[in-house]
Amino acid sequence: EIERLISIDELDIGSGVNQIGTLQWAGDTRWSSHFRLVSSLLRLYNPTCGLFIATIDSQLQELNIRSNEQGVELIVLSSALNPNDGYRSFDCDSIRNLVEKFYPLDFTQENILLKCQLQHYQFDVHPNMQTLCTIAELCRKLVETGNSKIYYLIDRLPRLVLTLSVSTATTERAFSAMKIIKTKLRSKMNDDFLTNCLVVY
């Protein structure tokens, strides 16, 4: 970027001028350092944006590699329970899809009752809980207000969704431990021995 600006005579050249293409760090008490920070940010705005976009792209690629389509769908459907922003994302159909696809054993023969509870909950409870932001807060508020007994099927859903991160972390810890136990030198151990070593670890 600096080379381009020099080639079109937008920047001066010379000893100690425009040699470093990094953002200046602002000091706590010196206003001149704040000025240098803003000046360098303006000068390097386009390259900084390109660095930022490249970072976001690499993080999205990493997430796509780690998450399969089923996991992404589970997270998207779970967001229908999110009470943030006045229950803007609350959607009865998405919640029922979540139950049918991912939690059928937890709601055996209760689909019709869940549909009724969702409709009543939509008009009865959630307008009174406009200040909630997270699913964990929703779960706590349902217990505090006693609505967890009235809408017991809806109360069951946030609890199931909140266990997602725990189950994922447990799985990741198990794979990390397996990399430590099963190394190149121990690559031929059988499954029983590997399981026993992991339990001990």
Side-chain angles (χ1 to χ4, degrees):
E1 180 67 12
I2 289 173
E3 286 177 1
R4 187 186 70 79
L5 291 173
I6 290 172
S7 70
I8 60 173
D9 293 328
E10 286 289 323
L11 287 178
D12 295 329
I13 56 172
S15 177
V17 178
N18 298 318
Q19 300 297 315
I20 299 174
T22 60
L23 292 174
Q24 301 292 317
W25 188 259
D28 291 335
T29 57
R30 300 185 184 235
W31 287 104
S32 60
S33 67
H34 289 276
F35 176 74
R36 283 196 302 273
L37 168 68
V38 173
S39 298
S40 66
L41 181 60
L42 289 173
R43 188 176 70 246
L44 297 173
Y45 182 75
N46 287 338
T48 304
C49 285
L51 175 64
F52 180 75
I53 291 169
T55 304
I56 296 296
D57 284 344
S58 68
Q59 289 179 347
L60 284 173
Q61 287 174 358
E62 183 71 23
L63 284 172
N64 287 335
I65 290 168
R66 288 176 178 251
S67 303
N68 59 11
E69 288 180 22
Q70 192 176 17
V72 171
E73 185 182 13
L74 176 59
I75 291 169
V76 169
L77 289 174
S78 298
S79 69
L81 286 167
N82 192 353
N84 192 17
D85 204 8
Y87 280 86
R88 188 182 60 175
S89 61
F90 186 85
D91 181 27
C92 294
D93 293 333
S94 295
I95 294 170
R96 286 177 51 223
N97 284 341
L98 172 70
V99 169
E100 290 170 8
K101 288 186 177 182
F102 296 100
Y103 301 111
L105 298 177
D106 295 297
F107 293 88
T108 55
Q109 301 175 348
E110 295 172 325
N111 285 338
I112 296 171
L113 186 57
L114 175 65
K115 182 180 179 182
C116 292
Q117 282 192 13
L118 283 169
Q119 290 171 343
H120 286 287
Y121 177 80
Q122 186 173 11
F123 295 108
D124 180 28
V125 176
H126 92 259
N128 302 324
M129 298 186 187
Q130 296 292 327
T131 58
L132 301 179
C133 294
T134 64
I135 294 178
E137 288 178 11
L138 168 66
C139 199
R140 260 193 306 273
K141 196 70 169 180
L142 283 170
V143 172
E144 287 172 9
T145 58
N147 287 318
S148 60
K149 293 178 181 161
I150 299 168
Y151 301 103
Y152 60 93
L153 294 175
I154 295 172
D155 182 56
R156 192 182 302 169
L157 269 170
R159 294 173 190 275
L160 290 169
V161 169
L162 288 173
T163 60
L164 280 174
S165 58
V166 175
S167 59
T168 304
T170 305
T171 306
E172 288 182 5
R173 277 197 296 269
F175 279 111
S176 297
M178 190 165 58
K179 287 181 184 176
I180 294 169
I181 300 295
K182 192 169 185 175
T183 62
K184 289 182 180 178
L185 297 174
R186 300 185 195 138
S187 61
K188 293 185 179 180
M189 66 172 66
N190 62 22
D191 290 341
D192 291 336
F193 186 65
L194 174 63
T195 304
N196 293 337
C197 287
L198 286 171
V199 168
V200 172
Y201 179 81

PDB file of all heavy atoms in Angstrom, residues 80-110:
ATOM      1  N   ALA A  80     -33.775 -20.417  18.348  1.00  0.00           N
ATOM      2  CA  ALA A  80     -35.185 -20.034  18.413  1.00  0.00           C
ATOM      3  C   ALA A  80     -35.662 -19.881  19.857  1.00  0.00           C
ATOM      4  O   ALA A  80     -36.692 -19.258  20.106  1.00  0.00           O
ATOM      5  CB  ALA A  80     -36.044 -21.067  17.687  1.00  0.00           C
ATOM      6  N   LEU A  81     -34.919 -20.433  20.815  1.00  0.00           N
ATOM      7  CA  LEU A  81     -35.257 -20.291  22.234  1.00  0.00           C
ATOM      8  C   LEU A  81     -34.678 -19.031  22.856  1.00  0.00           C
ATOM      9  O   LEU A  81     -35.022 -18.673  23.971  1.00  0.00           O
ATOM     10  CB  LEU A  81     -34.718 -21.496  23.020  1.00  0.00           C
ATOM     11  CG  LEU A  81     -35.448 -22.811  22.859  1.00  0.00           C
ATOM     12  CD1 LEU A  81     -34.617 -23.938  23.435  1.00  0.00           C
ATOM     13  CD2 LEU A  81     -36.796 -22.744  23.538  1.00  0.00           C
ATOM     14  N   ASN A  82     -33.789 -18.365  22.150  1.00  0.00           N
ATOM     15  CA  ASN A  82     -33.073 -17.223  22.715  1.00  0.00           C
ATOM     16  C   ASN A  82     -34.035 -16.069  23.019  1.00  0.00           C
ATOM     17  O   ASN A  82     -34.706 -15.572  22.120  1.00  0.00           O
ATOM     18  CB  ASN A  82     -31.994 -16.762  21.731  1.00  0.00           C
ATOM     19  CG  ASN A  82     -31.025 -15.790  22.350  1.00  0.00           C
ATOM     20  OD1 ASN A  82     -31.203 -15.349  23.480  1.00  0.00           O
ATOM     21  ND2 ASN A  82     -29.992 -15.461  21.616  1.00  0.00           N
ATOM     22  N   PRO A  83     -34.094 -15.611  24.297  1.00  0.00           N
ATOM     23  CA  PRO A  83     -35.018 -14.526  24.639  1.00  0.00           C
ATOM     24  C   PRO A  83     -34.478 -13.136  24.342  1.00  0.00           C
ATOM     25  O   PRO A  83     -35.154 -12.143  24.609  1.00  0.00           O
ATOM     26  CB  PRO A  83     -35.191 -14.718  26.156  1.00  0.00           C
ATOM     27  CG  PRO A  83     -33.892 -15.276  26.603  1.00  0.00           C
ATOM     28  CD  PRO A  83     -33.410 -16.155  25.476  1.00  0.00           C
ATOM     29  N   ASN A  84     -33.276 -13.055  23.797  1.00  0.00           N
ATOM     30  CA  ASN A  84     -32.650 -11.749  23.546  1.00  0.00           C
ATOM     31  C   ASN A  84     -33.478 -10.905  22.582  1.00  0.00           C
ATOM     32  O   ASN A  84     -34.145 -11.422  21.694  1.00  0.00           O
ATOM     33  CB  ASN A  84     -31.242 -11.970  22.975  1.00  0.00           C
ATOM     34  CG  ASN A  84     -30.424 -10.705  22.959  1.00  0.00           C
ATOM     35  OD1 ASN A  84     -30.749  -9.733  23.631  1.00  0.00           O
ATOM     36  ND2 ASN A  84     -29.363 -10.702  22.184  1.00  0.00           N
ATOM     37  N   ASP A  85     -33.421  -9.598  22.779  1.00  0.00           N
ATOM     38  CA  ASP A  85     -34.071  -8.634  21.893  1.00  0.00           C
ATOM     39  C   ASP A  85     -35.585  -8.853  21.832  1.00  0.00           C
ATOM     40  O   ASP A  85     -36.197  -8.875  20.761  1.00  0.00           O
ATOM     41  CB  ASP A  85     -33.457  -8.714  20.490  1.00  0.00           C
ATOM     42  CG  ASP A  85     -33.649  -7.421  19.716  1.00  0.00           C
ATOM     43  OD1 ASP A  85     -34.116  -6.443  20.322  1.00  0.00           O
ATOM     44  OD2 ASP A  85     -33.350  -7.415  18.509  1.00  0.00           O
ATOM     45  N   GLY A  86     -36.174  -9.037  23.009  1.00  0.00           N
ATOM     46  CA  GLY A  86     -37.633  -9.177  23.084  1.00  0.00           C
ATOM     47  C   GLY A  86     -38.172 -10.407  22.391  1.00  0.00           C
ATOM     48  O   GLY A  86     -39.232 -10.357  21.772  1.00  0.00           O
ATOM     49  N   TYR A  87     -37.442 -11.513  22.486  1.00  0.00           N
ATOM     50  CA  TYR A  87     -37.869 -12.787  21.879  1.00  0.00           C
ATOM     51  C   TYR A  87     -38.070 -12.654  20.368  1.00  0.00           C
ATOM     52  O   TYR A  87     -38.958 -13.276  19.794  1.00  0.00           O
ATOM     53  CB  TYR A  87     -39.175 -13.281  22.514  1.00  0.00           C
ATOM     54  CG  TYR A  87     -38.992 -13.967  23.833  1.00  0.00           C
ATOM     55  CD1 TYR A  87     -38.942 -13.236  25.003  1.00  0.00           C
ATOM     56  CD2 TYR A  87     -38.874 -15.339  23.914  1.00  0.00           C
ATOM     57  CE1 TYR A  87     -38.782 -13.848  26.220  1.00  0.00           C
ATOM     58  CE2 TYR A  87     -38.715 -15.972  25.123  1.00  0.00           C
ATOM     59  CZ  TYR A  87     -38.668 -15.218  26.285  1.00  0.00           C
ATOM     60  OH  TYR A  87     -38.498 -15.845  27.481  1.00  0.00           O
ATOM     61  N   ARG A  88     -37.232 -11.871  19.729  1.00  0.00           N
ATOM     62  CA  ARG A  88     -37.376 -11.664  18.282  1.00  0.00           C
ATOM     63  C   ARG A  88     -37.193 -12.968  17.514  1.00  0.00           C
ATOM     64  O   ARG A  88     -37.838 -13.204  16.500  1.00  0.00           O
ATOM     65  CB  ARG A  88     -36.373 -10.621  17.810  1.00  0.00           C
ATOM     66  CG  ARG A  88     -36.565 -10.199  16.380  1.00  0.00           C
ATOM     67  CD  ARG A  88     -35.533  -9.225  15.959  1.00  0.00           C
ATOM     68  NE  ARG A  88     -34.228  -9.847  16.106  1.00  0.00           N
ATOM     69  CZ  ARG A  88     -33.095  -9.299  15.741  1.00  0.00           C
ATOM     70  NH1 ARG A  88     -33.079  -8.098  15.240  1.00  0.00           N
ATOM     71  NH2 ARG A  88     -31.948  -9.924  15.891  1.00  0.00           N
ATOM     72  N   SER A  89     -36.297 -13.841  17.991  1.00  0.00           N
ATOM     73  CA  SER A  89     -36.029 -15.083  17.255  1.00  0.00           C
ATOM     74  C   SER A  89     -36.914 -16.248  17.696  1.00  0.00           C
ATOM     75  O   SER A  89     -36.776 -17.348  17.186  1.00  0.00           O
ATOM     76  CB  SER A  89     -34.555 -15.469  17.420  1.00  0.00           C
ATOM     77  OG  SER A  89     -34.255 -15.679  18.782  1.00  0.00           O
ATOM     78  N   PHE A  90     -37.833 -16.011  18.647  1.00  0.00           N
ATOM     79  CA  PHE A  90     -38.708 -17.088  19.131  1.00  0.00           C
ATOM     80  C   PHE A  90     -39.604 -17.570  18.000  1.00  0.00           C
ATOM     81  O   PHE A  90     -40.305 -16.784  17.364  1.00  0.00           O
ATOM     82  CB  PHE A  90     -39.565 -16.586  20.299  1.00  0.00           C
ATOM     83  CG  PHE A  90     -40.376 -17.665  20.953  1.00  0.00           C
ATOM     84  CD1 PHE A  90     -39.823 -18.452  21.934  1.00  0.00           C
ATOM     85  CD2 PHE A  90     -41.683 -17.898  20.573  1.00  0.00           C
ATOM     86  CE1 PHE A  90     -40.563 -19.453  22.546  1.00  0.00           C
ATOM     87  CE2 PHE A  90     -42.435 -18.901  21.164  1.00  0.00           C
ATOM     88  CZ  PHE A  90     -41.868 -19.672  22.160  1.00  0.00           C
ATOM     89  N   ASP A  91     -39.556 -18.890  17.734  1.00  0.00           N
ATOM     90  CA  ASP A  91     -40.318 -19.457  16.625  1.00  0.00           C
ATOM     91  C   ASP A  91     -40.776 -20.853  17.021  1.00  0.00           C
ATOM     92  O   ASP A  91     -39.955 -21.758  17.228  1.00  0.00           O
ATOM     93  CB  ASP A  91     -39.449 -19.497  15.366  1.00  0.00           C
ATOM     94  CG  ASP A  91     -40.193 -20.044  14.169  1.00  0.00           C
ATOM     95  OD1 ASP A  91     -41.429 -19.916  14.118  1.00  0.00           O
ATOM     96  OD2 ASP A  91     -39.533 -20.608  13.283  1.00  0.00           O
ATOM     97  N   CYS A  92     -42.082 -21.021  17.138  1.00  0.00           N
ATOM     98  CA  CYS A  92     -42.647 -22.306  17.569  1.00  0.00           C
ATOM     99  C   CYS A  92     -42.272 -23.445  16.620  1.00  0.00           C
ATOM    100  O   CYS A  92     -41.949 -24.559  17.067  1.00  0.00           O
ATOM    101  CB  CYS A  92     -44.170 -22.204  17.680  1.00  0.00           C
ATOM    102  SG  CYS A  92     -44.733 -21.101  18.977  1.00  0.00           S
ATOM    103  N   ASP A  93     -42.327 -23.193  15.311  1.00  0.00           N
ATOM    104  CA  ASP A  93     -42.023 -24.253  14.340  1.00  0.00           C
ATOM    105  C   ASP A  93     -40.565 -24.709  14.444  1.00  0.00           C
ATOM    106  O   ASP A  93     -40.278 -25.912  14.377  1.00  0.00           O
ATOM    107  CB  ASP A  93     -42.317 -23.775  12.918  1.00  0.00           C
ATOM    108  CG  ASP A  93     -43.809 -23.552  12.694  1.00  0.00           C
ATOM    109  OD1 ASP A  93     -44.605 -24.220  13.381  1.00  0.00           O
ATOM    110  OD2 ASP A  93     -44.165 -22.715  11.850  1.00  0.00           O
ATOM    111  N   SER A  94     -39.646 -23.760  14.611  1.00  0.00           N
ATOM    112  CA  SER A  94     -38.229 -24.122  14.753  1.00  0.00           C
ATOM    113  C   SER A  94     -37.995 -24.925  16.028  1.00  0.00           C
ATOM    114  O   SER A  94     -37.208 -25.874  16.039  1.00  0.00           O
ATOM    115  CB  SER A  94     -37.352 -22.870  14.776  1.00  0.00           C
ATOM    116  OG  SER A  94     -37.430 -22.203  13.549  1.00  0.00           O
ATOM    117  N   ILE A  95     -38.681 -24.553  17.088  1.00  0.00           N
ATOM    118  CA  ILE A  95     -38.525 -25.280  18.356  1.00  0.00           C
ATOM    119  C   ILE A  95     -39.064 -26.694  18.219  1.00  0.00           C
ATOM    120  O   ILE A  95     -38.447 -27.660  18.698  1.00  0.00           O
ATOM    121  CB  ILE A  95     -39.222 -24.506  19.495  1.00  0.00           C
ATOM    122  CG1 ILE A  95     -38.499 -23.181  19.729  1.00  0.00           C
ATOM    123  CG2 ILE A  95     -39.263 -25.335  20.768  1.00  0.00           C
ATOM    124  CD1 ILE A  95     -39.210 -22.228  20.659  1.00  0.00           C
ATOM    125  N   ARG A  96     -40.197 -26.846  17.528  1.00  0.00           N
ATOM    126  CA  ARG A  96     -40.740 -28.197  17.318  1.00  0.00           C
ATOM    127  C   ARG A  96     -39.817 -29.020  16.416  1.00  0.00           C
ATOM    128  O   ARG A  96     -39.638 -30.222  16.621  1.00  0.00           O
ATOM    129  CB  ARG A  96     -42.149 -28.100  16.742  1.00  0.00           C
ATOM    130  CG  ARG A  96     -43.136 -27.645  17.837  1.00  0.00           C
ATOM    131  CD  ARG A  96     -44.558 -27.440  17.382  1.00  0.00           C
ATOM    132  NE  ARG A  96     -45.094 -28.554  16.656  1.00  0.00           N
ATOM    133  CZ  ARG A  96     -45.821 -28.418  15.540  1.00  0.00           C
ATOM    134  NH1 ARG A  96     -46.068 -27.230  15.049  1.00  0.00           N
ATOM    135  NH2 ARG A  96     -46.289 -29.467  14.935  1.00  0.00           N
ATOM    136  N   ASN A  97     -39.210 -28.390  15.404  1.00  0.00           N
ATOM    137  CA  ASN A  97     -38.224 -29.096  14.566  1.00  0.00           C
ATOM    138  C   ASN A  97     -37.025 -29.532  15.395  1.00  0.00           C
ATOM    139  O   ASN A  97     -36.485 -30.624  15.196  1.00  0.00           O
ATOM    140  CB  ASN A  97     -37.754 -28.195  13.423  1.00  0.00           C
ATOM    141  CG  ASN A  97     -38.786 -28.087  12.321  1.00  0.00           C
ATOM    142  OD1 ASN A  97     -39.680 -28.904  12.216  1.00  0.00           O
ATOM    143  ND2 ASN A  97     -38.672 -27.044  11.517  1.00  0.00           N
ATOM    144  N   LEU A  98     -36.593 -28.664  16.301  1.00  0.00           N
ATOM    145  CA  LEU A  98     -35.481 -29.003  17.190  1.00  0.00           C
ATOM    146  C   LEU A  98     -35.797 -30.258  17.987  1.00  0.00           C
ATOM    147  O   LEU A  98     -34.975 -31.170  18.091  1.00  0.00           O
ATOM    148  CB  LEU A  98     -35.203 -27.816  18.122  1.00  0.00           C
ATOM    149  CG  LEU A  98     -34.201 -28.021  19.255  1.00  0.00           C
ATOM    150  CD1 LEU A  98     -32.802 -28.146  18.690  1.00  0.00           C
ATOM    151  CD2 LEU A  98     -34.271 -26.864  20.241  1.00  0.00           C
ATOM    152  N   VAL A  99     -36.992 -30.320  18.540  1.00  0.00           N
ATOM    153  CA  VAL A  99     -37.405 -31.485  19.342  1.00  0.00           C
ATOM    154  C   VAL A  99     -37.492 -32.733  18.482  1.00  0.00           C
ATOM    155  O   VAL A  99     -36.996 -33.806  18.856  1.00  0.00           O
ATOM    156  CB  VAL A  99     -38.753 -31.192  20.040  1.00  0.00           C
ATOM    157  CG1 VAL A  99     -39.340 -32.453  20.639  1.00  0.00           C
ATOM    158  CG2 VAL A  99     -38.575 -30.118  21.098  1.00  0.00           C
ATOM    159  N   GLU A 100     -38.117 -32.621  17.312  1.00  0.00           N
ATOM    160  CA  GLU A 100     -38.316 -33.795  16.453  1.00  0.00           C
ATOM    161  C   GLU A 100     -37.002 -34.357  15.919  1.00  0.00           C
ATOM    162  O   GLU A 100     -36.832 -35.571  15.829  1.00  0.00           O
ATOM    163  CB  GLU A 100     -39.239 -33.437  15.292  1.00  0.00           C
ATOM    164  CG  GLU A 100     -40.676 -33.206  15.716  1.00  0.00           C
ATOM    165  CD  GLU A 100     -41.536 -32.622  14.607  1.00  0.00           C
ATOM    166  OE1 GLU A 100     -41.056 -32.542  13.453  1.00  0.00           O
ATOM    167  OE2 GLU A 100     -42.680 -32.237  14.893  1.00  0.00           O
ATOM    168  N   LYS A 101     -36.053 -33.474  15.568  1.00  0.00           N
ATOM    169  CA  LYS A 101     -34.810 -33.938  14.950  1.00  0.00           C
ATOM    170  C   LYS A 101     -33.756 -34.375  15.959  1.00  0.00           C
ATOM    171  O   LYS A 101     -33.012 -35.319  15.717  1.00  0.00           O
ATOM    172  CB  LYS A 101     -34.219 -32.845  14.063  1.00  0.00           C
ATOM    173  CG  LYS A 101     -34.984 -32.624  12.790  1.00  0.00           C
ATOM    174  CD  LYS A 101     -34.283 -31.638  11.889  1.00  0.00           C
ATOM    175  CE  LYS A 101     -35.025 -31.487  10.591  1.00  0.00           C
ATOM    176  NZ  LYS A 101     -34.375 -30.576   9.657  1.00  0.00           N
ATOM    177  N   PHE A 102     -33.655 -33.651  17.087  1.00  0.00           N
ATOM    178  CA  PHE A 102     -32.515 -33.881  17.974  1.00  0.00           C
ATOM    179  C   PHE A 102     -32.873 -34.438  19.346  1.00  0.00           C
ATOM    180  O   PHE A 102     -32.018 -34.990  20.027  1.00  0.00           O
ATOM    181  CB  PHE A 102     -31.722 -32.571  18.152  1.00  0.00           C
ATOM    182  CG  PHE A 102     -31.120 -32.079  16.876  1.00  0.00           C
ATOM    183  CD1 PHE A 102     -31.717 -31.068  16.149  1.00  0.00           C
ATOM    184  CD2 PHE A 102     -29.964 -32.667  16.378  1.00  0.00           C
ATOM    185  CE1 PHE A 102     -31.166 -30.630  14.967  1.00  0.00           C
ATOM    186  CE2 PHE A 102     -29.409 -32.233  15.192  1.00  0.00           C
ATOM    187  CZ  PHE A 102     -30.012 -31.211  14.480  1.00  0.00           C
ATOM    188  N   TYR A 103     -34.131 -34.284  19.780  1.00  0.00           N
ATOM    189  CA  TYR A 103     -34.508 -34.768  21.113  1.00  0.00           C
ATOM    190  C   TYR A 103     -35.783 -35.601  21.094  1.00  0.00           C
ATOM    191  O   TYR A 103     -36.653 -35.438  21.947  1.00  0.00           O
ATOM    192  CB  TYR A 103     -34.691 -33.576  22.068  1.00  0.00           C
ATOM    193  CG  TYR A 103     -33.466 -32.720  22.213  1.00  0.00           C
ATOM    194  CD1 TYR A 103     -33.434 -31.431  21.697  1.00  0.00           C
ATOM    195  CD2 TYR A 103     -32.334 -33.204  22.864  1.00  0.00           C
ATOM    196  CE1 TYR A 103     -32.310 -30.643  21.827  1.00  0.00           C
ATOM    197  CE2 TYR A 103     -31.207 -32.416  22.991  1.00  0.00           C
ATOM    198  CZ  TYR A 103     -31.199 -31.140  22.465  1.00  0.00           C
ATOM    199  OH  TYR A 103     -30.083 -30.359  22.596  1.00  0.00           O
ATOM    200  N   PRO A 104     -35.935 -36.529  20.150  1.00  0.00           N
ATOM    201  CA  PRO A 104     -37.190 -37.290  20.109  1.00  0.00           C
ATOM    202  C   PRO A 104     -37.377 -38.204  21.312  1.00  0.00           C
ATOM    203  O   PRO A 104     -38.505 -38.429  21.752  1.00  0.00           O
ATOM    204  CB  PRO A 104     -37.070 -38.095  18.814  1.00  0.00           C
ATOM    205  CG  PRO A 104     -35.611 -38.193  18.552  1.00  0.00           C
ATOM    206  CD  PRO A 104     -35.009 -36.938  19.093  1.00  0.00           C
ATOM    207  N   LEU A 105     -36.283 -38.704  21.876  1.00  0.00           N
ATOM    208  CA  LEU A 105     -36.411 -39.600  23.027  1.00  0.00           C
ATOM    209  C   LEU A 105     -36.747 -38.859  24.319  1.00  0.00           C
ATOM    210  O   LEU A 105     -37.270 -39.452  25.262  1.00  0.00           O
ATOM    211  CB  LEU A 105     -35.116 -40.404  23.217  1.00  0.00           C
ATOM    212  CG  LEU A 105     -34.734 -41.330  22.056  1.00  0.00           C
ATOM    213  CD1 LEU A 105     -33.409 -42.006  22.325  1.00  0.00           C
ATOM    214  CD2 LEU A 105     -35.823 -42.361  21.819  1.00  0.00           C
ATOM    215  N   ASP A 106     -36.466 -37.569  24.355  1.00  0.00           N
ATOM    216  CA  ASP A 106     -36.770 -36.779  25.545  1.00  0.00           C
ATOM    217  C   ASP A 106     -38.205 -36.257  25.547  1.00  0.00           C
ATOM    218  O   ASP A 106     -38.683 -35.752  26.558  1.00  0.00           O
ATOM    219  CB  ASP A 106     -35.809 -35.590  25.638  1.00  0.00           C
ATOM    220  CG  ASP A 106     -34.383 -36.048  25.859  1.00  0.00           C
ATOM    221  OD1 ASP A 106     -34.126 -36.656  26.903  1.00  0.00           O
ATOM    222  OD2 ASP A 106     -33.538 -35.794  24.981  1.00  0.00           O
ATOM    223  N   PHE A 107     -38.875 -36.363  24.411  1.00  0.00           N
ATOM    224  CA  PHE A 107     -40.250 -35.868  24.295  1.00  0.00           C
ATOM    225  C   PHE A 107     -41.121 -36.931  23.619  1.00  0.00           C
ATOM    226  O   PHE A 107     -41.814 -36.650  22.651  1.00  0.00           O
ATOM    227  CB  PHE A 107     -40.294 -34.572  23.478  1.00  0.00           C
ATOM    228  CG  PHE A 107     -39.617 -33.416  24.147  1.00  0.00           C
ATOM    229  CD1 PHE A 107     -38.260 -33.201  23.969  1.00  0.00           C
ATOM    230  CD2 PHE A 107     -40.320 -32.553  24.951  1.00  0.00           C
ATOM    231  CE1 PHE A 107     -37.630 -32.137  24.581  1.00  0.00           C
ATOM    232  CE2 PHE A 107     -39.701 -31.489  25.573  1.00  0.00           C
ATOM    233  CZ  PHE A 107     -38.354 -31.284  25.389  1.00  0.00           C
ATOM    234  N   THR A 108     -41.098 -38.140  24.124  1.00  0.00           N
ATOM    235  CA  THR A 108     -41.886 -39.210  23.520  1.00  0.00           C
ATOM    236  C   THR A 108     -43.368 -38.962  23.777  1.00  0.00           C
ATOM    237  O   THR A 108     -43.785 -38.721  24.905  1.00  0.00           O
ATOM    238  CB  THR A 108     -41.479 -40.576  24.104  1.00  0.00           C
ATOM    239  OG1 THR A 108     -41.592 -40.503  25.519  1.00  0.00           O
ATOM    240  CG2 THR A 108     -40.072 -40.961  23.718  1.00  0.00           C
ATOM    241  N   GLN A 109     -44.159 -39.009  22.742  1.00  0.00           N
ATOM    242  CA  GLN A 109     -45.618 -38.870  22.781  1.00  0.00           C
ATOM    243  C   GLN A 109     -46.078 -37.565  23.437  1.00  0.00           C
ATOM    244  O   GLN A 109     -47.160 -37.498  24.017  1.00  0.00           O
ATOM    245  CB  GLN A 109     -46.245 -40.072  23.516  1.00  0.00           C
ATOM    246  CG  GLN A 109     -45.909 -41.387  22.845  1.00  0.00           C
ATOM    247  CD  GLN A 109     -46.415 -42.582  23.614  1.00  0.00           C
ATOM    248  OE1 GLN A 109     -46.827 -42.457  24.755  1.00  0.00           O
ATOM    249  NE2 GLN A 109     -46.380 -43.732  22.992  1.00  0.00           N
ATOM    250  N   GLU A 110     -45.273 -36.526  23.377  1.00  0.00           N
ATOM    251  CA  GLU A 110     -45.647 -35.246  23.985  1.00  0.00           C
ATOM    252  C   GLU A 110     -45.634 -34.109  22.973  1.00  0.00           C
ATOM    253  O   GLU A 110     -45.673 -32.948  23.346  1.00  0.00           O
ATOM    254  CB  GLU A 110     -44.682 -34.913  25.132  1.00  0.00           C
ATOM    255  CG  GLU A 110     -44.763 -35.897  26.281  1.00  0.00           C
ATOM    256  CD  GLU A 110     -43.677 -35.673  27.310  1.00  0.00           C
ATOM    257  OE1 GLU A 110     -42.558 -35.288  26.919  1.00  0.00           O
ATOM    258  OE2 GLU A 110     -43.935 -35.881  28.495  1.00  0.00           O
TER     259      GLU A 110
END
